Amino acid sequence: MDIEAALEEISRAPNLDSLQSLKVQYLGKNGQVTQAMKTLGQLPPEERKEKGRVLNAWKQALEEALEVREAQLKEQALQARLEQEALDVSLPGYAFPSGGLHITSRIVLELVNIFRRLGFSVVEGPEVESEFFNFDALNMPEWHPARDMQDTFWVELNRATEEAFTIQGPFAEDVSGLGGAVLRTHTSGMQIRYMIQHTPPFKIVVPGRVFRYEQTDASHEAMFHQLEGLVVGPNITMADLKGAISELARGLFGKEGKARFQPTFFPFVEPGVQFAMWWPERQKWLELGGAGMVHPYLFKAVDDYRERQGLPRVYEGMTGWAFGMGVERLALLRYGIPDIRYFYQNRLSFLRQFRG
Ligand code: PHE
């Protein structure tokens, strides 16, 4: 056996497989060196010693060579893999497509946050509402034109919808005797719901979806959003209302923002106003909503209801103000959006413009 040639061959083994077969060839059970060692016993003692030493030296040399080559081959394989899988950590990452808040949600949050800073609580109410909360208790009796089939979606009650407009808390069971069910035409019904369950003073805002039975066009949708506000306490005045709406104007339009109030009629406020806000950038007034002092009829309706539930009357001697404004309307005006239907078509080309 030519040991030099064997060592040479090992040092050139092209890969781990061929290295393994070389190992078997020399040092395996039937390998050349192993076999030679087995025949040692048949040699005369002097020869045996000499031959034994040589074979041991070969074996050791072969083992070393195999180990060295194996380490080299493994290192090469590692380098090759590293090169192939090279990761440039300085490359910019892939931007995964991400969603964002809908423009309506953004406006609602903006509005609500302004009122939060003024100490208002944010509450929400059901979209399926009883006739009583949506109309009667708001001083809009049966003959009121707003209850016309033209304006209101009436809902046939079944178990599911009954649950949907069940009032939370102590009145949970009391949905009978409150008239039919409607998709709320405004968020003002929450004025009543909230007053029934709370003792003044309080300040709340109520964002929510409302529904009108309407032919849709660029400026009319059957569904849109409102923000309702209600403040009730012992000495609440019209000046407080003007202050809050003016603060809202500054919150929305900056230091030069201001509000304007003009008399108008809503059955549930007296006096009633409509308000507009000054948009400094465009130098124009934006008509945004209605407001006014809570009509005494509401306090009486709420106290009567409470009394029927065995609760104390707590609204005598109280005053309050309320407002309601259109959320999409604010967005339409402020961003110059030409068609309210864009809000619900969910076209990405529209929505992406308001990702902020
Ligand atoms: N609910 C009225 C509307 O839908 C707005 C409003 C709310 C007016 C509160 C006065 C007070 O137009």
Side-chain angles (χ1 to χ4, degrees), residues 283-320:
Q283 294 284 298
K284 61 179 181 189
W285 289 102
L286 309 179
E287 287 293 344
L288 288 178
M293 299 305 290
V294 177
H295 196 294
Y297 180 93
L298 274 65
F299 290 140
K300 184 173 177 310
V302 166
D303 266 342
D304 288 350
Y305 189 101
R306 288 175 59 94
E307 202 165 74
R308 288 200 294 279
Q309 299 294 329
L311 292 166
R313 302 180 76 90
V314 286
Y315 287 91
E316 272 151 31
M318 292 295 155
T319 52

Side-chain angles (χ1 to χ4, degrees), residues 37-96:
M37 279 175 152
K38 278 186 190 159
T39 60
L40 278 179
Q42 297 151 18
L43 294 177
E46 329 75 80
E47 252 180 78
R48 188 193 306 162
K49 212 171 166 194
E50 180 53 25
K51 189 83 192 279
R53 202 171 42 234
V54 170
L55 283 177
N56 263 327
W58 284 8
K59 187 179 175 206
Q60 219 178 317
L62 287 166
E63 276 170 350
E64 256 170 50
L66 284 163
E67 222 172 277
V68 167
R69 187 58 185 157
E70 184 179 337
Q72 282 175 353
L73 286 170
K74 283 191 169 158
E75 175 66 17
Q76 275 174 20
L78 178 67
Q79 286 306 329
R81 218 181 94 196
L82 286 177
E83 252 162 61
Q84 209 180 20
E85 293 178 359
L87 176 71
D88 182 350
V89 292
S90 68
L91 279 176
Y94 294 107
F96 288 98

Side-chain angles (χ1 to χ4, degrees), residues 185-188 191 212 226 228 266 268-269 290-292 322-324:
T185 59
H186 54 182
T187 41
S188 298
Q191 291 186 32
R212 303 260 168 104
Q226 288 188 332
E228 190 87 13
F266 297 99
F268 33 91
V269 286
F323 76 88

